[in-house]
Amino acid sequence: MADRPTDERGDVVVVTGAGGMGTAIARRLGSGRTLFLAEASRAQLDLAVAALTSEGYAVHGVLTDVSDRVSVEKLAEEAAGEGRLSAVVHTAGVSPATASARTILEVNLLGTVHVIDAFEKVATRGTSLVVISSMAGHYASLSREDEAGLATAPAEDLLGLDAVAAVGDDAGTAYMVSKRANHVRVEAAALAWNQRGATVNTVSPGVISTAMSQAEAESPSGEHMLRMLDDCGAGRTGTPGEIAEAVAYLTGPQARFITGTDLLVDGGQAAWVRRHMRH
């Protein structure tokens, strides 16, 4: 077999977050590619890297705090230096059942902006970024002015915006606002990514069977959340594998003309809320 040219570099996939969705996506996209798995918890990162390595993946574990801009920029530079940046999937996030409003805003809102900004600098033709948002973003009630600020304000100004300050200590509202901010931020970023020949989109999962959703199910709002799945006709939670398939589509060659938009993967729950739920 002929030797591979020494200057030929392979495809690189970056996944932030080593939870249920992150590892499912890493498995779906990582075969035959160099995989960077980024996670804030050393214990969770080491477990995921060990599991993926044992399954034959070429994986680098990188301890990363997405709320820290420098940490994310270091991840982006390291990954881009390893090969052709094929896909970046940002799954790292926290939920109201496990985090305060402040932490939700720092991780889900500011962290996502850090990922979009850092990877835009190293994106090349064919790079795809997918941000895992949430169907909760479709339930946020924000003015056009507030959404414009969330879409375009510099990262250092985001937490001082009126829409963010108004959240106060309400973790549920912080979550909805942060996830809506993901949507509008990606819309605004699409131009710069297009100019690099790259795409950027969000995927908004509904209730997916992960450890995070289990914590939500056991929270005070959990019974209502699960009942809505029955009421909307889905009758079940989604699986991490279904989110991984949606991401695989958006990061694949068949989706090169899809950018700046959101793919809702929620079993029809948001549609039911809009058109059938009695308010």
Side-chain angles (χ1 to χ4, degrees), residues 119-252:
F119 281 95
E120 182 211 313
K121 295 172 186 173
V122 296
T124 58
R125 182 161 296 279
T127 302
S128 296
L129 168 62
V130 175
V131 171
I132 301 299
S133 181
S134 169
M135 68 175 178
H138 289 265
Y139 304 150
S141 297
L142 295 167
S143 69
R144 290 176 65 89
E145 269 188 357
D146 284 340
E147 289 199 349
L150 289 167
T152 60
E156 59 270 21
D157 297 339
L158 273 172
L159 297 185
L161 293 177
D162 290 345
V164 178
V167 164
D169 296 326
D170 188 330
T173 301
Y175 189 77
M176 284 194 290
V177 168
S178 71
K179 293 303 185 178
R180 181 57 184 159
N182 296 166
H183 296 163
V184 298
R185 199 79 190 189
V186 159
E187 288 176 2
L191 173 61
W193 282 71
N194 254 346
Q195 290 168 343
R196 288 182 167 270
T199 63
V200 55
N201 293 288
T202 51
V203 167
S204 288
V207 185
I208 307 298
S209 297
T210 64
M212 185 181 289
S213 73
Q214 182 62 34
E216 287 296 316
E218 293 169 358
S219 73
S221 62
E223 185 180 345
H224 173 67
M225 178 181 77
L226 295 174
R227 188 169 63 247
M228 286 176 70
L229 284 171
D230 287 329
D231 291 344
C232 80
R236 67 174 178 91
T237 59
T239 65
E242 287 172 309
I243 302 303
E245 288 300 328
V247 170
Y249 170 69
L250 287 174
T251 58

Side-chain angles (χ1 to χ4, degrees), residues 94-107 168-172 174-175:
V94 291
S95 74
T98 59
S100 66
R102 179 71 185 187
T103 300
I104 288 169
L105 294 171
E106 289 176 348
V107 175
D169 296 326
D170 188 330
Y175 189 77

